[in-house]
Every structure is written in C-alpha cells, then in structure tokens.
Amino acid sequence: MTTATPVPANEAVLHEALTGLTTAPQKTLPPWLFYDERGSRLFEQITTLPEYYLTRTERALFAAHADDILSTTTSDNLTIAELGAGTATKTGILLRAALRRQPKLLYQPIDVSSSALAAESLTLPGLTIHPQVANYITERYTLQRPDSPKLEGHSEQGSRPRILALYIGSSIGNFSPTEAHTILHNLRQHLQPGDALLLGADLAPGPQKPIATILSAYDDAAGVTAAFNLNILTRLNRELDADFNLAAFAHRARWNAAESRIEMHLESLRPQTVTIPTNDEIHHIAFEQGETIHTENSYKFTPEALTTLLTNSNFTPTRTFHDPTQTFALTLAHTL
Ligand code: AVI
C-alpha cells in the first residue's frame, strides 16, 4: 500500500470509477459522468451537428404533429410532464400548441440536475412550471393533476384532467432493456386511465437508414463526439486526481448488431497504467494496447421492439409519427 495525498473526491464519481475500471474484464464508466459543465455544453453542440440527425428529426416531428399529438389526448385540461427535461425548443413547440387549446398549462419537468432543466427558462403566457429535481430511475417523484387542490385555477369545468408525459430525445436508448422497462413501468404507476405518454426513440437501421448514417452521428467529422467521450477522462483527472493521458486514448463508436445499439468506447492506444489516488492507497489501473473503456450504449429500436417495450410496461401504443425515411419515431401511447 502506498500513502497518497487525500483527494476531495466526489464519492459517487470515485465509486463508479473504481468499480467500472477495476472489477470486470470489460472496463466501463457510466454515461452520467459525461454531463459535467463542459460535457453538457459539448452535448448541446452535438445536437446541432450535421451528422447528428436525431435532434433535428425529432424537432421536425414536433413541429409537424404537435396539434395531432394534442388532439389525441382528448382533453383541454391537460398538464404536461417531462422525464429528463431536455430542450426548451422541442418541448416549447408542444407547450405552445397546448396553450392554443387551453388558457392555462402546468408543465412539470423532472431531471436529476437542476441546471439541466432547460425548459425552465420558457416564459409563455398561461404557463406555470413546477420543476422537480429527482433521479427518475431510482427516486420517487410526483406528478400533479390539473385539478389537484394545490393547483386551483388550472382546472377547467367540463373537461377531464389528463397528464401527457414526455420522454423524448431518445433518452430511453441510453438505458438497458431492463432499466428502460423500469423507467416506463414506474411512470405508468403515476398515470391513470386516459393519460398518455409520448416517447421519442431513434429507430434501428433499415432499407432507408444505413448503419453508416447512425455511426457517423456518433463519430462526427468535427470531433465533437470524440471530445464529449474523452471529457469523461478529463473529469476523472480533475475530480479524482487521476492521471489519464488524453492523447493515449481514442474515441470509438461501434455498431453492435446483436444488441441493436451504438456503443461508445475509449480505446487505449498503447499499454499503459493509470493511477487514481484515494485516502489510503493509489489504485493502479493497467490497460493493454487496444483495450477499451465502454462508456455508453445508445439503443436503436425497431417498431416491434418499441411496441413490446410499451406493452410490457402497461401502455398501449396508439399512434406513431415518423419521418419519411423512418429515422426517428415519436410514439404516443395511452394508459387503459
Ligand atoms: C442523450 N442521448 C440520447 C445521446 C444519444 O444519442 O445516445 C447521447 C449521445 N452520445 C453521443 N452522442 C450523443
């Protein structure tokens, strides 16, 4: 054992790093580690890249179908909730459309980080925002209905109060099938018959969507995704006093056909040892040349896989909106 200078480590980051890098043959780091301040900025940049078709395709679907989506909810006394509250642009399209149908609207974004609650900055006449900071996978959260006593004034006579829950941006794709089921199953527990879910998911390769298109979305020419992936090592250097040499690791995006997912890895370009000091020892992490750290999965769904996921979580898919080349799908599902 070597004595090391105590490091003011974030316990959760340290735990993830040591578990992921020392306990199994395939080294891993969890994707939530991407999203420090710089990582969140890099992700925003990714969403504007020409290769990253997901965000602009989903936004176009919102713009084209917001009214259809809302008319299928059959209520003019709606509240909109969002898991992983993402971008004000996409959600804003739907909030504006809802406010054309009803004078007041409650919007409840739920996200693990308060700084990520981007749509909070939306100010629209008639809009009330109740943000909630919660990890929607592991923690409890609450969804309020328009006629809850706390929300007097939001209830309109004659129309049944409904919740429309959004889970968009293909965020579901970053979870394993089991976790995805848990997230939707938990959400279903918060909903009542007549409520709805709008799920935004990236579709699997097909005749009009080559694997190369998906791969380039995760390995862009400008290197923004590479910087995003490598930033996880910068974070470990800064927060744990680790000594990753960023020039000795390279970003890799791979298509895993058996799992229908893009995998992001960081490949060690040579044999090397990285150290992470803790209060009572220095951890030595050995890498062979070509060995990788698996940092993210991004599942791509067939329409059948989406139907199975939704029905297994007690939702009934009622309508799907997708672009002409079947790149991305917005699926509206109801609770029976
Ligand atoms: C946040 N999530 C849906 C993105 C995705 O496409 O899986 C994260 C990302 N990773 C690399 N580029 C974007």
Side-chain angles (χ1 to χ4, degrees):
M1 200 200 303
T2 325
T3 313
T5 325
V7 173
N10 172 333
E11 288 304 317
V13 176
L14 179 62
H15 174 79
E16 295 285 7
L18 292 182
T19 312
L21 299 176
T22 65
T23 57
Q26 173 62 68
K27 295 178 169 65
T28 58
L29 286 171
W32 66 262
L33 284 174
F34 289 137
Y35 299 94
D36 61 1
E37 211 182 307
R38 178 166 176 260
S40 301
R41 261 188 283 118
L42 286 167
F43 177 65
E44 281 309 306
Q45 224 179 311
I46 287 173
T47 65
T48 65
L49 291 170
E51 294 94 336
Y52 196 77
Y53 58 84
L54 289 80
T55 310
R56 65 168 180 279
T57 311
E58 189 180 46
R59 190 169 50 236
L61 291 173
F62 267 88
H65 302 292
D67 290 323
D68 291 335
I69 292 164
L70 290 168
S71 61
T72 321
T73 60
T74 62
S75 173
D76 56 3
N77 190 9
L78 194 69
T79 177
I80 294 182
E82 183 170 4
L83 296 187
T87 69
T89 358
K90 276 182 283 183
T91 308
I93 296 171
L94 209 65
L95 298 178
R96 277 186 202 89
L99 282 164
R100 287 196 290 274
R101 297 164 54 92
Q102 60 188 62
K104 289 182 180 171
L105 177 70
L106 172 68
Y107 170 54
Q108 307 174 67
I110 300 159
D111 201 275
V112 66
S113 122
S114 55
S115 59
L117 291 167
E120 258 193 89
S121 57
L122 273 168
T123 45
L124 296 171
L127 183 69
T128 305
I129 306 184
H130 283 183
Q132 236 175 105
V133 178
N135 178 338
Y136 56 79
I137 309 156
T138 53
E139 288 169 7
R140 284 175 176 278
Y141 55 90
T142 51
L143 295 186
Q144 293 173 23
R145 270 171 203 279
D147 62 346
S148 133
K150 281 189 201 148
L151 292 166
E152 257 176 87
H154 278 276
S155 181
E156 298 293 319
Q157 284 288 317
S159 188
R160 293 197 54 192
R162 305 275 198 216
I163 295 175
L164 170 63
L166 311 180
Y167 194 32
I168 60 174
S170 203
S171 303
I172 190 93
N174 294 134
F175 296 99
S176 70
T178 311
E179 289 168 323
H181 173 264
T182 304
I183 291 167
L184 295 187
H185 192 262
N186 286 347
L187 173 64
R188 176 63 187 83
Q189 308 300 307
H190 289 84
L191 302 179
Q192 292 177 5
D195 292 337
L197 160 69
L198 185 69
L199 182 69
D202 197 18
L203 293 176
Q208 294 166 284
K209 189 181 183 189
I211 292 170
T213 302
I214 307 180
L215 270 171
S216 67
Y218 291 85
D219 197 7
D220 61 283
V224 184
T225 311
F228 175 72
N229 199 4
L230 283 159
N231 183 56
I232 211 166
L233 303 184
T234 309
R235 179 171 186 176
L236 298 191
N237 285 351
R238 185 185 62 244
E239 294 187 15
L240 303 181
D241 206 17
D243 61 358
F244 285 95
N245 173 358
L246 268 69
F249 286 88
H251 165 67
R252 300 282 181 245
R254 297 178 183 164
W255 173 246
N256 180 333
E259 301 288 343
S260 193
R261 70 188 189 204
I262 287 280
E263 296 179 359
M264 293 212 310
H265 292 255
L266 290 165
E267 181 179 327
S268 174
L269 297 176
R270 54 171 194 247
Q272 56 183 316
T273 300
V274 173
T275 61
I276 300 181
T278 54
N279 284 340
D280 41 35
E281 73 180 290
I282 294 182
H283 299 264
H284 295 266
I285 300 156
F287 288 86
E288 290 170 19
Q289 182 169 347
E291 188 179 353
T292 70
I293 307 172
H294 184 178
T295 50
E296 187 186 59
N297 291 318
S298 204
Y299 285 83
K300 308 300 168 190
F301 298 86
T302 60
E304 297 73 31
L306 281 175
T307 302
T308 305
L309 174 62
L310 286 162
T311 47
N312 285 348
S313 315
N314 289 332
F315 284 98
T316 304
T318 34
R319 243 184 118 172
T320 300
F321 305 91
H322 54 71
D323 57 304
T325 54
Q326 304 239 26
T327 299
F328 196 95
L330 279 180
T331 307
L332 196 58
H334 280 81
T335 53
L336 296 179

